[in-house]
């Protein structure tokens, strides 16, 4: 596979590695971006494998809570301008409310919204607003208490990041603190038991290679890996993370002190995981002038 300058730049941007190191990593892994990140990490040349955080799609995440159930939905638009449009916001709120009565995204698309399905309502809105829109995803939690939090709200109950936290007890103030923590810390799972085993194994193999690069004996490496994996799990699981309100406690310990159990959470961020081509504004202007 040809190693292009764009590939090298993407790897540099996502890892903080130098240009020559990024190029070598891609060459060694035949252009496989994920493998190249791991290669850089094993050589100690990458900053903690930060994921590409470019938010490519615009739109809103909206939350709705009723009784012991909370839902979050993401509806995308092409521009942030449309996300600020009151007509678009009203539609997104109605879709979130409809999501309380369904179990998945397909059922939501078929749900009734004032005589039309959600899918048809979206199609009609595309025609009137003149911009492509998509119903991208939904997620839900249930519990004795469900608390919602929107970071940088664009309107009531909707914004760029929406969080739901389910608790076994009744402590809404603590639940709100946990929801704000989730918005900031973005945990991968509730606990180690909920974490994808493939993610754990991949991290373990990377840490083993990093340790071996140090030249230490296998017996020492085994002890190093135990400590490093413990640290990794404390960073990516909600219950293991240091609580932003009181970093001396983990979130799990803070929950015990508050007399509740955190049973689930949802965090949706607009455009998460969607990539779009970066527009070269100068080239675009030049093309327009030549046209």
């Amino acid at each position: 596979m040809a190693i292009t300058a764009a590939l090298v730049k993407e790897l540099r941007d996502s890892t903080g590695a130098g240009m020559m190191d990024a190029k070598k990593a891609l060459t060694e892994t035949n252009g496989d971006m994920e493998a190249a990140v791991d290669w850089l990490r094993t050589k100690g040349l990458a900053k903690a494998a930060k994921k590409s955080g470019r938010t490519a799609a615009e739109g809103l995440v909206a939350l709705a809570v009723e009784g012991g159930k909370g839902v979050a939905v993401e509806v995308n638009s092409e521009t942030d301008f449309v996300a600020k449009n009151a007509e678009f916001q009203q539609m997104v709120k109605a879709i979130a409310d409809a999501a309380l009565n369904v179990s998945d995204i397909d059922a939501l698309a078929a749900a009734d919204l004032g005589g039309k399905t959600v899918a048809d309502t979206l199609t009609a809105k595309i025609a009137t607003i003149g911009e492509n829109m998509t119903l991208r995803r939904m997620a839900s939690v249930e519990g004795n208490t469900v608390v919602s939090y929107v970071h940088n709200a664009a309107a009531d109950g909707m914004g760029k990041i929406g969080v739901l936290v389910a608790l076994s007890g009744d402590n809404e103030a603590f639940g709100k603190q946990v929801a704000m923590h989730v918005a900031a810390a973005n945990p991968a799972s509730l606990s180690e038991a909920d974490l994808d085993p493939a993610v754990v194994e991949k991290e373990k193999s990377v840490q083993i290679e990093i340790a071996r690069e140090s030249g230490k004996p296998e017996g020492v490496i085994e002890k190093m890996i135990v400590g490093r994996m413990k640290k990794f799990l404390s960073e990516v699981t909600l219950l293991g993370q240091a609580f932003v309100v009181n970093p001396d406690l983990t979130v799990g310990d803070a929950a015990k002190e508050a007399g509740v159990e955190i049973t689930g959470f949802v965090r949706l961020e607009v455009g998460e995981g969607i990539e779009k081509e970066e527009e070269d504004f100068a080239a675009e202007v030049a093309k327009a002038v030549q046209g």
Side-chain angles (χ1 to χ4, degrees):
M1 179 179 175
I3 309 303
T4 64
L7 267 179
V8 174
K9 181 181 183 301
E10 185 180 342
L11 184 59
R12 287 185 68 197
D13 288 346
S14 67
T15 62
M19 183 177 72
M20 295 311 293
D21 290 329
K23 187 173 182 182
K24 183 167 173 47
L26 286 163
T27 303
E28 291 288 330
T29 58
N30 197 31
D32 184 322
M33 186 63 66
E34 196 170 326
V37 170
D38 289 343
W39 188 91
L40 286 167
R41 290 186 65 201
T42 63
K43 304 297 180 187
L45 299 171
K47 294 174 185 173
K50 68 177 183 184
K51 295 175 184 175
S52 177
R54 287 180 296 174
T55 300
E58 299 298 338
L60 290 168
V61 169
L63 307 177
V65 177
E66 189 175 89
K69 182 178 181 180
V71 292
V73 298
E74 178 184 359
V75 182
N76 295 131
S77 59
E78 289 181 52
T79 65
D80 189 47
F81 179 75
V82 164
K84 293 172 181 173
N85 178 304
E87 191 180 337
F88 178 75
Q89 291 175 353
Q90 286 167 8
M91 177 189 71
V92 174
K93 182 185 184 309
I95 291 173
D97 290 340
L100 283 165
N101 302 311
V102 298
S103 58
D104 58 45
I105 195 76
D106 292 331
L108 179 56
D112 178 70
L113 211 63
K116 285 183 184 174
T117 64
V118 166
D120 287 345
T121 300
L122 207 58
T123 300
K125 200 64 69 179
I126 291 169
T128 57
I129 291 181
E131 206 175 282
N132 191 33
M133 300 168 201
T134 56
L135 175 63
R136 186 181 177 213
R137 53 184 175 160
M138 71 166 276
S140 63
V141 293
E142 293 187 37
N144 294 124
T145 302
V146 175
V147 180
S148 64
Y149 169 70
V150 176
H151 186 65
N152 287 344
D156 188 33
M158 64 186 79
K160 294 295 184 186
I161 299 175
V163 177
L164 298 164
V165 173
L167 305 174
S168 66
D170 182 17
N171 191 333
E172 198 161 322
F174 175 73
K176 185 72 76 174
Q177 290 179 336
V178 174
M180 293 172 77
H181 170 100
V182 170
N186 194 12
S189 71
L190 177 63
S191 65
E192 182 180 349
D194 307 302
L195 196 57
D196 183 348
V199 171
V200 177
E201 282 306 309
K202 181 183 173 186
E203 181 64 22
K204 190 173 182 180
S205 66
V206 167
Q207 291 298 343
I208 288 170
E209 288 305 313
I210 291 172
R212 282 180 178 154
E213 287 284 327
S214 69
K216 289 184 170 59
E218 284 296 319
V220 175
I221 286 174
E222 284 178 22
K223 290 177 182 175
M224 288 170 65
I225 297 310
V226 170
R228 289 182 180 183
M229 290 307 295
K230 186 176 180 182
K231 182 174 183 290
F232 168 71
L233 291 169
S234 74
E235 290 171 348
V236 301
T237 62
L238 173 57
L239 298 181
Q241 288 176 336
F243 194 25
V244 291
V245 177
N246 180 1
D248 292 333
L249 293 175
T250 64
V251 174
D253 288 338
K256 286 176 187 172
E257 284 199 1
V260 299
E261 181 186 352
I262 302 166
T263 57
F265 77 91
V266 162
R267 181 188 187 278
L268 293 190
E269 182 171 351
V270 171
E272 203 169 30
I274 302 175
E275 297 262 353
K276 70 177 178 182
E277 292 181 16
E278 291 183 28
E279 295 178 2
D280 185 336
F281 186 62
E284 189 180 319
V285 171
K287 185 178 179 182
V289 170
Q290 289 168 2

